Amino acid sequence: SILELLGEHTELSVAQAREHLGSDLAHTTVMTALVRLHGKGLVDRERRGRSFVYTLNAPVDEIPALRAALALAQAKNGEQHP
């Protein structure tokens, strides 16, 4: 997920996030997800040139609702979450 990517990388632009997620996703799809996460206060963004760079507000493991959502998503995919 995008949040897991941001947890692995210090900061990501939309293009970088799209590259890591797979090029089958549209640029606007990734951008919309990041804008929504910013709107919910989960990520910060900083303008760099003509685009934004996004960072997590807190480590993924320190966001309780996010931890629960990730655990649920991983359970649906048959993965285990510590």
Side-chain angles (χ1 to χ4, degrees), residues 43-71:
V43 300
D44 284 329
R45 68 181 182 188
E46 178 183 321
R47 185 170 282 287
R48 299 263 177 91
R50 296 183 339 175
S51 61
F52 287 102
V53 174
Y54 294 85
T55 57
L56 278 180
N57 275 339
V60 173
D61 291 338
E62 291 183 14
I63 304 172
L66 178 57
R67 269 198 326 239
L70 288 174

Side-chain angles (χ1 to χ4, degrees), residues 12-66:
L12 288 172
S13 67
V14 173
Q16 291 168 327
R18 182 176 174 259
E19 183 179 312
H20 287 289
L21 291 168
S23 60
D24 58 323
L25 292 172
H27 181 88
T28 54
T29 300
V30 177
M31 181 177 59
T32 299
L34 286 166
V35 167
R36 287 182 180 172
L37 291 170
H38 178 258
K40 292 178 181 186
L42 294 173
V43 300
D44 284 329
R45 68 181 182 188
E46 178 183 321
R47 185 170 282 287
R48 299 263 177 91
R50 296 183 339 175
S51 61
F52 287 102
V53 174
Y54 294 85
T55 57
L56 278 180
N57 275 339
V60 173
D61 291 338
E62 291 183 14
I63 304 172
L66 178 57

